[in-house]
Amino acid sequence: MTTSPRLVAFDLDDTLAPSKSPLDPAMAALLIRLLDVSPVCIISGGQIAQFQMQVIDNLGDASEDQLARLHLMPTCGTQYYRHENGAWSQIYAQNLTDDEKARALEVVERVAKHLGFWETETWGPILEDRGSQITFSALGQAAPVAAKMAWDPSGEKKNALREAAQAELPDLEVRAGGSTSVDITRRGIDKAYGMNKLADLTGIPLDDMLFIGDRLDENGNDYPVKAMGVSCVAVEGWHDTAAYLEKLIPELQAAANRVTDDPTDG
């Protein structure tokens, strides 16, 4: 593991916050402290509206300088946002074509119904067009966390749906997303793609980054980051992440102080 990362990246759901839920005030405070000593990236399958509700709206105490060090990568890095001139600006978006969207929506709905995974009691839409990503959420986007956790605790349903849809969409990328979701993007686009883009955009090598996520298992949507060799920390919820940051932030501050105090520096 990199001893003093120059950038810390996070998954969002079940890493920084419960699924589709706002940051706890304690986590928001830790993120703001972290932004004082390191650039931060949040990369997730959710769209920017989800980032707004879960993260941005809860960082009211952050300064402009702190927000300028926050990199937001919705839909697994197919979109990228930075805080500029007091607002969040989209820097790029790798959007699907109308044909790709139509095929993805048709296939994932048909396959889900065939497998018996198309639920009738839902909270919000099952299918969502996120521009650069089509997302299937078995219980809807606004389902309670407890219902989501109970739907597919082993991940078998998501994996079966992913495999069946992938077989019919060979030109696209189909992968397991959150606790009840499957995401479809252009081929070769996953969180590893997003991290590579982040390295290009920031000039910070992947070897100098640290990634924290809850789905680093082989079937998890965080696994591509681990597989590409980025230093990773596995957590099982935001409380784990908070405990880790309580130790990491002072270490990064101490490292920064050592550089500042080094008479040979610069």
Side-chain angles (χ1 to χ4, degrees):
M1 179 180 298
T2 181
T3 54
S4 185
R6 293 173 54 196
L7 182 148
V8 183
F10 298 89
D11 171 50
L12 179 49
D13 279 348
D14 299 319
T15 296
L16 289 175
S19 179
K20 306 297 187 295
S21 302
L23 293 179
D24 185 273
M27 177 56 75
L30 282 166
L31 274 183
I32 291 171
R33 285 175 55 199
L34 180 61
L35 285 164
D36 274 336
V37 293
S38 174
V40 171
C41 175
I42 302 173
I43 181 169
S44 170
Q47 60 183 332
I48 190 60
Q50 183 178 326
F51 279 61
Q52 182 78 44
M53 179 273 291
Q54 291 187 265
V55 179
I56 298 169
D57 289 349
N58 302 285
L59 295 180
D61 293 334
S63 68
E64 290 293 308
D65 286 345
Q66 288 166 331
L67 292 175
R69 290 192 285 274
L70 181 57
H71 305 259
L72 299 182
M73 288 190 144
T75 53
C76 294
T78 56
Q79 299 176 22
Y80 178 58
Y81 287 78
R82 293 298 305 276
H83 197 264
E84 302 175 333
N85 302 316
W88 289 97
S89 301
Q90 185 183 80
I91 307 303
Y92 71 72
Q94 306 285 356
N95 288 330
L96 295 164
T97 66
D98 289 343
D99 173 69
E100 288 168 335
K101 291 178 183 180
R103 288 189 292 113
L105 288 165
E106 188 278 326
V107 167
V108 75
E109 178 174 348
R110 174 165 46 79
V111 167
K113 289 178 175 177
H114 175 73
L115 292 172
F117 299 158
W118 192 267
E119 303 292 341
T120 55
E121 182 180 350
T122 60
W123 292 262
I126 293 175
L127 297 175
E128 189 177 2
D129 177 357
R130 297 179 175 177
S132 55
Q133 178 177 291
I134 297 298
T135 295
F136 165 92
S137 299
L139 301 178
Q141 280 297 304
V145 173
K148 289 184 176 185
M149 298 303 292
W151 185 76
D152 186 26
S154 69
E156 292 179 9
K157 292 180 181 178
K158 287 199 305 288
N159 289 335
L161 179 59
R162 184 200 67 76
E163 290 174 5
Q166 184 67 82
E168 297 199 36
L169 297 167
D171 60 319
L172 299 177
E173 189 82 28
V174 185
R175 64 188 176 278
S179 51
T180 65
S181 63
V182 169
D183 298 325
I184 304 171
T185 62
R186 287 187 173 157
R187 193 73 177 162
I189 291 180
D190 54 21
K191 287 187 179 178
Y193 167 89
M195 294 296 287
N196 274 317
K197 291 287 288 185
L198 184 64
D200 291 342
L201 290 159
T202 63
I204 298 174
L206 292 170
D207 287 347
D208 290 337
M209 295 185 185
L210 176 68
F211 178 83
I212 301 172
D214 71 304
R215 294 294 312 281
L216 287 161
D217 56 285
E218 199 160 339
N219 290 317
N221 64 348
D222 297 328
Y223 180 75
V225 182
K226 181 179 179 180
M228 72 191 300
V230 173
S231 294
C232 293
V233 172
V235 295
E236 294 185 358
W238 77 265
H239 290 95
D240 278 0
T241 306
Y244 183 79
L245 291 181
E246 290 282 9
K247 294 184 292 184
L248 178 66
I249 292 169
E251 292 172 0
L252 292 176
Q253 184 63 67
N257 290 341
R258 285 194 297 272
V259 170
T260 302
D261 294 340
D262 185 350
T264 65
D265 183 59

